[in-house]
Amino acid sequence: MPNKTLADTEYNQFKHFLEQQSGIVLGDNKQYLVRSRLSPLMAKFNCDTMTQLVKLAMGSSDRQLRVEVIDAMTTNETLWFRDKFPFELMANIILPEYAAVGRPIKIWSAACSSGQEPYSLAMTLLEFQQKRPNSLAGTSIVATDLSPTMLERCRVAEYDPLALARGLTEEHKRQFFEPVANQKSMKVKDNVKRLVTFKPLNLLESYASLGKFDVIFCRNVLIYFAPEAKSKILRQFAAALNPNGVLFLGASESLAGLSDDFDMIRCNPGIYYRKR
């Protein structure tokens, strides 16, 4: 029977490896998380023990093994229109601001997981354009993630009933989704999908290839990074934003002690950050 235990020394080595590769910081005594995420890979890579799998990933020249291990450890859960207020602020403040100056905007959904955030942004844009026809034509959304598995799921854009129940109204489903033949799943309609381009990106690496943005969503992501990595990411976000560009973070995340590049804009409800 496969041995899924991981000694403290090996766990600490793996923690260091994961942080170096992805920026993700595992807490102490999270061996259970490593076991649950990596167990399915043991048979695939012919490993009898978790120790063997982890050591191969850390030292192997087998890129596929390394990618799949990091992929499994960095896959996060998400939902549609998470926390609501960022999307309401987009609809009520940010999109009207750019529509008033008559130019399209470029939006980045960083660490997009399985696609709910960028597609929620696309739906927000389409609803805005229904009320204000011909506004913000040419607006685009770039969505990035470290995980190849997540990016492929995003591009397919099919969601099962459990995923569909998390944050979507019946009106959203009626307007922006269509049934998948012979299944209970639904897929995002083409007019929504066309607005979003998915690309692989490690947030610890350069963003130069993405170009400049007017709005960046990076929500409930920084909590997984060490302070030094958070500061680096925030500096790079500031450099990637156009003048007066906007940054949205998660409800529990803060820039305090990490960045002086942004002003906090308090709203009711919620907050966002404006590049200085």
Side-chain angles (χ1 to χ4, degrees):
M1 187 169 178
N3 183 347
K4 299 179 182 179
T5 61
L6 199 61
D8 288 347
T9 301
E10 290 145 359
Y11 173 71
N12 288 331
Q13 289 172 344
F14 182 68
K15 271 176 57 179
H16 181 65
F17 162 79
L18 187 66
E19 183 175 352
Q20 281 190 320
Q21 294 294 316
S22 69
I24 301 297
V25 179
L26 287 175
D28 293 331
N29 303 314
K30 292 288 181 73
Q31 285 94 329
Y32 71 90
L33 184 62
V34 177
R35 287 197 302 271
S36 65
R37 295 284 181 89
L38 299 189
S39 291
L41 298 180
M42 290 174 64
K44 180 173 182 178
F45 290 98
N46 299 312
C47 293
D48 296 323
T49 67
M50 185 62 68
T51 296
Q52 183 184 5
L53 179 73
V54 164
K55 285 187 174 180
L56 280 173
M58 291 190 293
S60 176
S61 58
D62 183 342
R63 183 178 179 278
Q64 186 61 30
L65 169 58
R66 183 174 291 225
V67 165
E68 291 203 33
V69 165
I70 295 169
D71 190 0
M73 290 305 304
T74 56
T75 298
N76 296 306
E77 194 174 88
T78 187
L79 62 156
W80 305 95
F81 297 94
R82 186 169 184 171
D83 298 328
K84 292 187 179 178
F85 76 82
F87 303 94
E88 292 172 353
L89 293 177
M90 283 293 291
N92 297 327
I93 296 175
I94 308 302
L95 294 181
E97 177 183 306
Y98 283 96
V101 298
R103 72 171 181 84
I105 64 173
K106 191 175 176 185
I107 303 168
W108 177 15
S109 170
C112 66
S113 190
S114 48
Q116 281 90 332
E117 180 176 272
Y119 286 135
S120 295
L121 285 165
M123 288 183 250
T124 301
L125 174 65
L126 289 170
E127 288 178 321
F128 180 80
Q129 289 175 325
Q130 288 168 4
K131 297 173 184 174
R132 299 185 52 176
N134 303 316
S135 62
L136 297 175
T139 289
S140 63
I141 301 164
V142 174
T144 65
D145 202 88
L146 178 65
S147 165
T149 303
M150 289 294 104
L151 290 172
E152 183 55 32
R153 192 180 298 179
C154 292
R155 294 183 184 108
V156 172
E158 293 183 6
Y159 298 92
D160 63 24
L162 181 61
L164 292 165
R166 304 191 66 203
L168 280 178
T169 64
E170 289 303 313
E171 177 60 18
H172 283 137
K173 284 187 271 191
R174 185 191 68 77
Q175 269 204 79
F176 301 117
F177 291 79
E178 57 192 15
V180 177
N182 302 318
Q183 295 184 39
K184 293 182 180 179
S185 299
M186 299 184 78
K187 63 181 178 180
V188 177
K189 287 183 177 179
D190 285 346
N191 65 322
V192 182
K193 290 176 70 174
R194 276 195 295 269
L195 292 170
V196 187
T197 301
F198 293 97
K199 298 182 178 182
L201 184 80
N202 185 329
L203 287 174
L204 295 180
E205 297 174 358
S206 171
Y207 309 161
S209 64
L210 300 178
K212 293 282 191 175
F213 295 91
D214 301 294
V215 179
I216 297 175
F217 269 60
C218 185
R219 309 192 61 247
N220 308 294
V221 177
L222 293 182
I223 53 174
Y224 297 105
F225 290 87
E228 300 80 12
K230 290 180 185 179
S231 293
K232 177 185 177 182
I233 290 167
L234 289 166
R235 283 196 304 273
Q236 292 187 197
F237 281 158
L241 280 168
N242 286 320
N244 298 313
V246 169
L247 173 66
F248 283 93
L249 298 179
S252 64
E253 294 172 317
S254 167
L255 298 187
L258 297 171
S259 174
D260 297 321
D261 293 320
F262 298 90
D263 290 316
M264 179 191 291
I265 310 297
R266 294 185 179 275
C267 303
N268 188 21
I271 62 174
Y272 65 92
Y273 298 90
R274 179 84 68 172
K275 180 180 174 179
R276 287 178 173 166

